[in-house]
Structures are given as C-alpha cells and as structure tokens.
mmCIF file of all heavy atoms in Angstrom:
data_model
loop_
_atom_site.group_PDB
_atom_site.id
_atom_site.type_symbol
_atom_site.label_atom_id
_atom_site.label_comp_id
_atom_site.label_asym_id
_atom_site.label_seq_id
_atom_site.Cartn_x
_atom_site.Cartn_y
_atom_site.Cartn_z
ATOM 1 N N GLU A 1 86.134 103.036 69.671
ATOM 2 C CA GLU A 1 87.481 103.581 69.878
ATOM 3 C C GLU A 1 87.589 104.382 71.172
ATOM 4 O O GLU A 1 88.701 104.682 71.637
ATOM 5 C CB GLU A 1 87.884 104.455 68.686
ATOM 6 C CG GLU A 1 87.095 105.745 68.526
ATOM 7 C CD GLU A 1 85.774 105.580 67.766
ATOM 8 O OE1 GLU A 1 85.367 104.424 67.533
ATOM 9 O OE2 GLU A 1 85.183 106.612 67.413
ATOM 10 N N SER A 2 86.440 104.713 71.788
ATOM 11 C CA SER A 2 86.479 105.455 73.055
ATOM 12 C C SER A 2 86.891 104.560 74.216
ATOM 13 O O SER A 2 87.177 105.055 75.307
ATOM 14 C CB SER A 2 85.122 106.099 73.342
ATOM 15 O OG SER A 2 84.124 105.111 73.592
ATOM 16 N N TYR A 3 86.889 103.248 73.966
ATOM 17 C CA TYR A 3 87.372 102.349 75.020
ATOM 18 C C TYR A 3 88.889 102.308 74.991
ATOM 19 O O TYR A 3 89.501 101.889 74.007
ATOM 20 C CB TYR A 3 86.814 100.928 74.877
ATOM 21 C CG TYR A 3 87.348 100.029 75.974
ATOM 22 C CD1 TYR A 3 86.918 100.222 77.293
ATOM 23 C CD2 TYR A 3 88.304 99.054 75.721
ATOM 24 C CE1 TYR A 3 87.427 99.447 78.327
ATOM 25 C CE2 TYR A 3 88.810 98.273 76.752
ATOM 26 C CZ TYR A 3 88.377 98.477 78.052
ATOM 27 O OH TYR A 3 88.892 97.726 79.086
ATOM 28 N N LYS A 4 89.489 102.741 76.064
ATOM 29 C CA LYS A 4 90.950 102.791 76.160
ATOM 30 C C LYS A 4 91.422 102.097 77.436
ATOM 31 O O LYS A 4 92.316 102.575 78.132
ATOM 32 C CB LYS A 4 91.434 104.243 76.124
ATOM 33 C CG LYS A 4 90.988 105.004 74.880
ATOM 34 C CD LYS A 4 91.542 106.415 74.846
ATOM 35 C CE LYS A 4 90.965 107.206 73.675
ATOM 36 N NZ LYS A 4 91.266 106.579 72.372
ATOM 37 N N GLY A 5 90.779 100.968 77.714
ATOM 38 C CA GLY A 5 91.194 100.183 78.884
ATOM 39 C C GLY A 5 90.574 100.612 80.195
ATOM 40 O O GLY A 5 91.037 100.217 81.271
ATOM 41 N N GLN A 6 89.488 101.389 80.139
ATOM 42 C CA GLN A 6 88.885 101.900 81.377
ATOM 43 C C GLN A 6 88.405 100.805 82.323
ATOM 44 O O GLN A 6 88.273 101.035 83.520
ATOM 45 C CB GLN A 6 87.707 102.829 81.050
ATOM 46 C CG GLN A 6 88.102 104.171 80.418
ATOM 47 C CD GLN A 6 88.023 104.135 78.903
ATOM 48 O OE1 GLN A 6 88.319 103.110 78.288
ATOM 49 N NE2 GLN A 6 87.632 105.258 78.296
ATOM 50 N N LEU A 7 88.112 99.621 81.808
ATOM 51 C CA LEU A 7 87.584 98.552 82.656
ATOM 52 C C LEU A 7 88.654 97.859 83.487
ATOM 53 O O LEU A 7 88.323 97.111 84.411
ATOM 54 C CB LEU A 7 86.878 97.486 81.805
ATOM 55 C CG LEU A 7 85.649 97.893 80.997
ATOM 56 C CD1 LEU A 7 85.064 96.667 80.321
ATOM 57 C CD2 LEU A 7 84.607 98.558 81.874
ATOM 58 N N LYS A 8 89.913 98.060 83.162
ATOM 59 C CA LYS A 8 90.967 97.235 83.752
ATOM 60 C C LYS A 8 90.994 97.301 85.278
ATOM 61 O O LYS A 8 91.177 96.279 85.948
ATOM 62 C CB LYS A 8 92.329 97.618 83.168
ATOM 63 C CG LYS A 8 92.456 97.254 81.683
ATOM 64 C CD LYS A 8 93.859 97.440 81.164
ATOM 65 C CE LYS A 8 93.941 97.125 79.667
ATOM 66 N NZ LYS A 8 93.560 95.735 79.367
ATOM 67 N N ASN A 9 90.803 98.487 85.852
ATOM 68 C CA ASN A 9 90.808 98.589 87.316
ATOM 69 C C ASN A 9 89.670 97.803 87.941
ATOM 70 O O ASN A 9 89.818 97.208 89.008
ATOM 71 C CB ASN A 9 90.697 100.062 87.747
ATOM 72 C CG ASN A 9 91.993 100.813 87.546
ATOM 73 O OD1 ASN A 9 93.053 100.204 87.448
ATOM 74 N ND2 ASN A 9 91.909 102.129 87.479
ATOM 75 N N VAL A 10 88.523 97.795 87.280
ATOM 76 C CA VAL A 10 87.366 97.078 87.824
ATOM 77 C C VAL A 10 87.530 95.568 87.644
ATOM 78 O O VAL A 10 87.193 94.789 88.539
ATOM 79 C CB VAL A 10 86.060 97.556 87.156
ATOM 80 C CG1 VAL A 10 84.856 96.896 87.823
ATOM 81 C CG2 VAL A 10 85.937 99.072 87.221
ATOM 82 N N LEU A 11 88.054 95.157 86.524
ATOM 83 C CA LEU A 11 88.194 93.725 86.233
ATOM 84 C C LEU A 11 89.134 93.013 87.199
ATOM 85 O O LEU A 11 89.090 91.792 87.333
ATOM 86 C CB LEU A 11 88.684 93.531 84.797
ATOM 87 C CG LEU A 11 87.668 93.903 83.706
ATOM 88 C CD1 LEU A 11 88.344 93.965 82.336
ATOM 89 C CD2 LEU A 11 86.511 92.916 83.672
ATOM 90 N N THR A 12 89.986 93.769 87.872
ATOM 91 C CA THR A 12 90.889 93.166 88.859
ATOM 92 C C THR A 12 90.329 93.224 90.271
ATOM 93 O O THR A 12 90.966 92.765 91.214
ATOM 94 C CB THR A 12 92.253 93.888 88.842
ATOM 95 O OG1 THR A 12 92.055 95.275 89.159
ATOM 96 C CG2 THR A 12 92.918 93.773 87.476
ATOM 97 N N ASN A 13 89.106 93.752 90.424
ATOM 98 C CA ASN A 13 88.506 93.966 91.740
ATOM 99 C C ASN A 13 87.851 92.682 92.260
ATOM 100 O O ASN A 13 86.769 92.291 91.822
ATOM 101 C CB ASN A 13 87.471 95.094 91.659
ATOM 102 C CG ASN A 13 86.985 95.537 93.016
ATOM 103 O OD1 ASN A 13 86.854 94.742 93.943
ATOM 104 N ND2 ASN A 13 86.697 96.824 93.150
ATOM 105 N N GLU A 14 88.514 92.033 93.191
ATOM 106 C CA GLU A 14 87.993 90.762 93.717
ATOM 107 C C GLU A 14 86.752 90.965 94.580
ATOM 108 O O GLU A 14 85.970 90.027 94.764
ATOM 109 C CB GLU A 14 89.084 90.044 94.517
ATOM 110 C CG GLU A 14 90.257 89.597 93.649
ATOM 111 C CD GLU A 14 91.264 88.749 94.405
ATOM 112 O OE1 GLU A 14 90.863 88.067 95.377
ATOM 113 O OE2 GLU A 14 92.448 88.769 94.027
ATOM 114 N N ARG A 15 86.552 92.163 95.102
ATOM 115 C CA ARG A 15 85.330 92.439 95.867
ATOM 116 C C ARG A 15 84.100 92.301 94.993
ATOM 117 O O ARG A 15 83.050 91.845 95.426
ATOM 118 C CB ARG A 15 85.366 93.858 96.443
ATOM 119 C CG ARG A 15 85.918 93.996 97.821
ATOM 120 C CD ARG A 15 85.807 95.450 98.269
ATOM 121 N NE ARG A 15 84.527 95.713 98.886
ATOM 122 C CZ ARG A 15 84.304 95.650 100.182
ATOM 123 N NH1 ARG A 15 85.264 95.281 100.993
ATOM 124 N NH2 ARG A 15 83.116 95.928 100.677
ATOM 125 N N ILE A 16 84.246 92.687 93.730
ATOM 126 C CA ILE A 16 83.115 92.647 92.813
ATOM 127 C C ILE A 16 82.946 91.261 92.200
ATOM 128 O O ILE A 16 81.838 90.715 92.166
ATOM 129 C CB ILE A 16 83.271 93.699 91.697
ATOM 130 C CG1 ILE A 16 83.233 95.110 92.288
ATOM 131 C CG2 ILE A 16 82.167 93.548 90.644
ATOM 132 C CD1 ILE A 16 83.451 96.214 91.277
ATOM 133 N N PHE A 17 84.038 90.668 91.738
ATOM 134 C CA PHE A 17 83.935 89.432 90.962
ATOM 135 C C PHE A 17 84.295 88.170 91.747
ATOM 136 O O PHE A 17 84.097 87.066 91.246
ATOM 137 C CB PHE A 17 84.822 89.521 89.714
ATOM 138 C CG PHE A 17 84.422 90.631 88.785
ATOM 139 C CD1 PHE A 17 85.157 91.798 88.710
ATOM 140 C CD2 PHE A 17 83.278 90.522 88.009
ATOM 141 C CE1 PHE A 17 84.783 92.837 87.874
ATOM 142 C CE2 PHE A 17 82.889 91.553 87.167
ATOM 143 C CZ PHE A 17 83.634 92.706 87.100
ATOM 144 N N GLY A 18 84.822 88.334 92.942
ATOM 145 C CA GLY A 18 85.240 87.162 93.702
ATOM 146 C C GLY A 18 86.608 86.660 93.292
ATOM 147 O O GLY A 18 87.219 85.865 93.999
ATOM 148 N N VAL A 19 87.077 87.106 92.136
ATOM 149 C CA VAL A 19 88.384 86.736 91.598
ATOM 150 C C VAL A 19 88.956 87.946 90.861
ATOM 151 O O VAL A 19 88.231 88.877 90.524
ATOM 152 C CB VAL A 19 88.296 85.541 90.614
ATOM 153 C CG1 VAL A 19 87.893 84.271 91.318
ATOM 154 C CG2 VAL A 19 87.334 85.855 89.473
ATOM 155 N N ASN A 20 90.247 87.891 90.595
ATOM 156 C CA ASN A 20 90.889 88.875 89.728
ATOM 157 C C ASN A 20 90.796 88.345 88.299
ATOM 158 O O ASN A 20 91.489 87.387 87.938
ATOM 159 C CB ASN A 20 92.347 89.073 90.150
ATOM 160 C CG ASN A 20 93.072 90.117 89.330
ATOM 161 O OD1 ASN A 20 92.870 90.223 88.116
ATOM 162 N ND2 ASN A 20 93.946 90.869 89.971
ATOM 163 N N LEU A 21 89.901 88.917 87.507
ATOM 164 C CA LEU A 21 89.651 88.379 86.165
ATOM 165 C C LEU A 21 90.874 88.470 85.257
ATOM 166 O O LEU A 21 91.044 87.651 84.354
ATOM 167 C CB LEU A 21 88.467 89.112 85.528
ATOM 168 C CG LEU A 21 87.102 88.867 86.187
ATOM 169 C CD1 LEU A 21 86.038 89.746 85.557
ATOM 170 C CD2 LEU A 21 86.701 87.404 86.094
ATOM 171 N N GLU A 22 91.738 89.435 85.521
ATOM 172 C CA GLU A 22 92.952 89.542 84.708
ATOM 173 C C GLU A 22 93.916 88.411 85.039
ATOM 174 O O GLU A 22 94.480 87.776 84.132
ATOM 175 C CB GLU A 22 93.629 90.898 84.948
ATOM 176 C CG GLU A 22 94.845 91.122 84.053
ATOM 177 C CD GLU A 22 95.417 92.516 84.188
ATOM 178 O OE1 GLU A 22 95.004 93.258 85.105
ATOM 179 O OE2 GLU A 22 96.284 92.855 83.372
ATOM 180 N N GLU A 23 94.066 88.106 86.313
ATOM 181 C CA GLU A 23 94.992 87.054 86.721
ATOM 182 C C GLU A 23 94.592 85.693 86.183
ATOM 183 O O GLU A 23 95.462 84.875 85.842
ATOM 184 C CB GLU A 23 95.082 86.993 88.247
ATOM 185 C CG GLU A 23 95.929 88.097 88.864
ATOM 186 C CD GLU A 23 96.063 87.920 90.369
ATOM 187 O OE1 GLU A 23 95.482 86.942 90.909
ATOM 188 O OE2 GLU A 23 96.747 88.746 91.001
ATOM 189 N N ILE A 24 93.300 85.426 86.103
ATOM 190 C CA ILE A 24 92.870 84.094 85.653
ATOM 191 C C ILE A 24 92.646 84.032 84.143
ATOM 192 O O ILE A 24 92.280 82.981 83.611
ATOM 193 C CB ILE A 24 91.593 83.641 86.383
ATOM 194 C CG1 ILE A 24 90.413 84.562 86.049
ATOM 195 C CG2 ILE A 24 91.834 83.575 87.875
ATOM 196 C CD1 ILE A 24 89.095 84.057 86.578
ATOM 197 N N GLY A 25 92.849 85.142 83.443
ATOM 198 C CA GLY A 25 92.819 85.118 81.990
ATOM 199 C C GLY A 25 91.477 85.347 81.328
ATOM 200 O O GLY A 25 91.298 84.984 80.166
ATOM 201 N N LEU A 26 90.511 85.973 82.050
ATOM 202 C CA LEU A 26 89.194 86.222 81.451
ATOM 203 C C LEU A 26 88.958 87.690 81.110
ATOM 204 O O LEU A 26 87.980 88.018 80.433
ATOM 205 C CB LEU A 26 88.076 85.744 82.387
ATOM 206 C CG LEU A 26 87.853 84.238 82.498
ATOM 207 C CD1 LEU A 26 86.678 83.939 83.427
ATOM 208 C CD2 LEU A 26 87.620 83.592 81.135
#
C-alpha cells in the first residue's frame, strides 16, 4: 500500500528505457 504511483515519472523516461513505457502500454 506504500506504492502510490511513485514509479510513473521514471516509467516515462525515454533516457532510461529507450521508450515511454506509459505511452506504449507497458
């Protein structure tokens, strides 16, 4: 329950993942 969406800013970081993971649905 301590997870309250903290990853969202990182998951959209194309520098880290090469893609925006939110935009592509992962």
Side-chain angles (χ1 to χ4, degrees):
E1 68 275 11
S2 67
Y3 179 70
K4 303 183 186 301
Q6 290 95 325
L7 298 184
K8 292 189 182 299
N9 285 340
V10 185
L11 291 168
T12 60
N13 190 325
E14 294 187 28
R15 268 183 88 94
I16 295 177
F17 298 105
V19 293
N20 182 322
L21 293 174
E22 184 174 10
E23 283 184 359
I24 64 172
L26 286 182

